[in-house]
Amino acid sequence: MPRDRSRSIHRGEPINLTVDQRPVQAFAGETLATALLAQGISTFNHTASGQPRGPYCNMGTCFECQVRISSPSDTDFRWVRACMVTVREGMFVNTGATLLGQPPIPAEPLGESDESGN
């Protein structure tokens, strides 16, 4: 059966963020995990023993997708679950860091998260 191409995917407005000191474009409404995966980034952090970690459950229960983020107004990065945070204009993201046993800030519903760096 032919695929129905009458429906199209609508993405949000383009958003600029910085990932590992490189400019990246994402789209409003996307989770940070989605934006990173779309850029080909699949290692989000490393365990203390050096094992790479990335998204596993994509619903905030496994904590495998932790990354460090900050906003332009912050100087301190903080750990968050990338699957629970929506992208924000000007967000700074650091992937590949080593987890230090610090739990991320508890997630709030998407779109209302304080983890966004704003």
Side-chain angles (χ1 to χ4, degrees), residues 2-3 6-7 10 14 28 30-31 41 45 47 50 54 61 65-66 70 78 81 84 92 96 104 106 108-109 113 118:
R3 188 173 182 177
S6 64
R7 291 186 248 167
H10 299 283
E30 289 182 337
T31 65
I41 300 168
N45 65 68
T47 64
T61 60
C65 67
Q66 292 182 87
S70 76
R78 60 185 173 267
R81 289 172 283 176
M84 300 299 293
F92 291 98
E108 296 176 17
S113 176
N118 288 335

Side-chain angles (χ1 to χ4, degrees):
M1 174 184 282
R3 188 173 182 177
D4 178 8
R5 300 207 187 266
S6 64
R7 291 186 248 167
S8 61
I9 297 173
H10 299 283
R11 298 180 89 173
E13 293 295 316
I15 290 180
N16 298 301
L17 48 141
T18 303
V19 177
D20 299 329
Q21 301 179 346
R22 294 186 325 248
V24 167
Q25 189 175 63
F27 297 90
E30 289 182 337
T31 65
L32 182 52
T34 298
L36 294 174
L37 290 170
Q39 293 294 315
I41 300 168
S42 59
T43 299
F44 286 23
N45 65 68
H46 288 88
T47 64
S49 65
Q51 296 296 312
R53 292 291 183 252
Y56 181 70
C57 74
N58 277 318
M59 61 185 198
T61 60
C62 74
F63 292 79
E64 294 293 309
C65 67
Q66 292 182 87
V67 295
R68 296 180 344 145
I69 67 166
S70 76
S71 68
S73 61
D74 291 337
T75 57
D76 294 326
F77 280 84
R78 60 185 173 267
W79 287 101
V80 297
R81 289 172 283 176
C83 70
M84 300 299 293
V85 176
T86 53
V87 292
R88 298 283 193 264
E89 182 69 37
M91 179 183 278
F92 291 98
V93 182
N94 178 252
T95 67
T98 300
L99 292 171
L100 303 173
Q102 302 275 337
I105 300 166
E108 296 176 17
L110 291 177
E112 301 173 15
S113 176
D114 189 40
E115 293 182 323
S116 67
N118 288 335

